[in-house]
Amino acid sequence: MKNIVIFGAPGSGKGTQSDKIIAEFGVEHISTGDVLRAEIKANTELGKTAAMYINDGNLVPDSLIIDILANVLDSKGKDIKGVIFDGFPRTIAQAEALDVMLEERGQKVDVVIGLEVDDAELINRIVARGKTSGRADDNEETAKKRLSNYYKQTLPLKDFYIKQQKYSAIVGVGSIDDIYANISKAIKEA
Ligand code: AMP
């Protein structure tokens, strides 16, 4: 069982690299952003609440997202090779909740892949993605807000995982395959 967290700012390539990790390691994908977008599309109460935060470039409250994560994790069943957590955790409270959740299931986070990309490149990528993604939050103004929230709320997790000796820094700029080669190596070594 290998539980992987893919960590990085919005636009750092978490989704793209997750697809490659899944193809090689056969782990289950849990993307909290995808789960929330599906709820918004289905116009559920949860989706309506989440949209208020997402469209403003803010994080959805911890209590809400932690409940969602627990439900999605249980829905994957016990007979799996592991999970890639994409876009979760995004706060220290979420990381602590994830540790507890996995411990209750006799598991742990095995490795954290930290995709490191400079700000100018992140904004360029998000704006470019917005032309085809149809995402309400993929525009320059919201991207800047998301990035500023990332530094305030999410980046402290880097130290959290360095202390646990789980953080593997990966240069997130260059060709997708070159970046992935380093990710694959880090997962195998974990
Ligand atoms: P993503 O697709 O991962 O970029 O997520 C899109 C948006 O969904 C984020 O900007 C947040 O508003 C919300 N979201 C996704 N995952 C989380 C999370 N773990 N905690 C809080 N909000 C989240």
Side-chain angles (χ1 to χ4, degrees):
M1 183 77 86
K2 209 154 233 190
N3 291 310
I4 305 158
V5 170
I6 189 151
F7 178 83
S12 59
K14 297 189 294 291
T16 304
Q17 296 294 345
S18 289
D19 289 344
K20 298 180 84 70
I21 295 170
I22 294 157
E24 181 173 0
F25 295 95
V27 290
E28 302 289 315
H29 189 201
I30 298 183
S31 155
T32 42
D34 284 352
V35 172
L36 294 172
R37 282 186 287 277
E39 294 286 335
I40 292 171
K41 209 170 164 198
N43 209 22
T44 62
E45 284 309 312
L46 171 60
K48 286 181 202 161
T49 307
M52 295 193 300
Y53 295 95
I54 295 177
N55 295 345
D56 279 344
N58 290 320
L59 292 185
V60 170
D62 283 336
S63 55
L64 205 66
I65 202 88
I66 290 167
D67 276 353
I68 295 171
L69 203 270
N71 286 332
V72 179
L73 191 57
D74 283 335
S75 76
K76 299 287 180 192
K78 290 199 170 73
D79 205 19
I80 57 174
K81 287 186 177 169
V83 173
I84 174 136
F85 296 93
D86 166 4
F88 185 98
R90 265 179 156 103
T91 63
I92 297 281
Q94 292 179 21
E96 288 171 346
L98 180 61
D99 280 350
V100 172
M101 248 184 266
L102 290 175
E103 207 180 311
E104 283 169 356
R105 291 162 176 79
Q107 295 173 45
K108 62 177 172 26
V109 170
D110 293 289
V111 61
V112 177
I113 299 295
L115 290 172
E116 305 198 339
V117 178
D118 60 276
D119 285 5
E121 171 77 10
L122 291 169
I123 301 285
N124 283 343
R125 285 189 193 175
I126 294 173
V127 171
R129 180 173 71 186
K131 291 187 179 130
T132 52
S133 72
R135 280 177 55 166
D137 58 345
D138 278 349
N139 58 72
E140 189 167 347
E141 193 193 334
T142 315
K144 284 187 174 153
K145 179 93 173 282
R146 286 161 69 198
L147 206 53
S148 131
N149 285 334
Y150 168 79
Y151 284 115
K152 275 187 269 182
Q153 297 172 279
T154 307
L155 193 60
L157 281 180
K158 179 173 167 176
D159 273 344
F160 178 92
Y161 284 120
I162 287 174
K163 283 198 188 105
Q164 291 193 0
Q165 296 182 306
K166 290 178 180 169
Y167 188 83
S168 182
I170 302 285
V171 175
V173 185
S175 88
I176 292 174
D177 286 341
D178 287 349
I179 297 166
Y180 183 68
N182 290 324
I183 294 177
S184 173
K185 198 161 153 263
I187 295 174
K188 285 179 189 141
E189 284 168 359

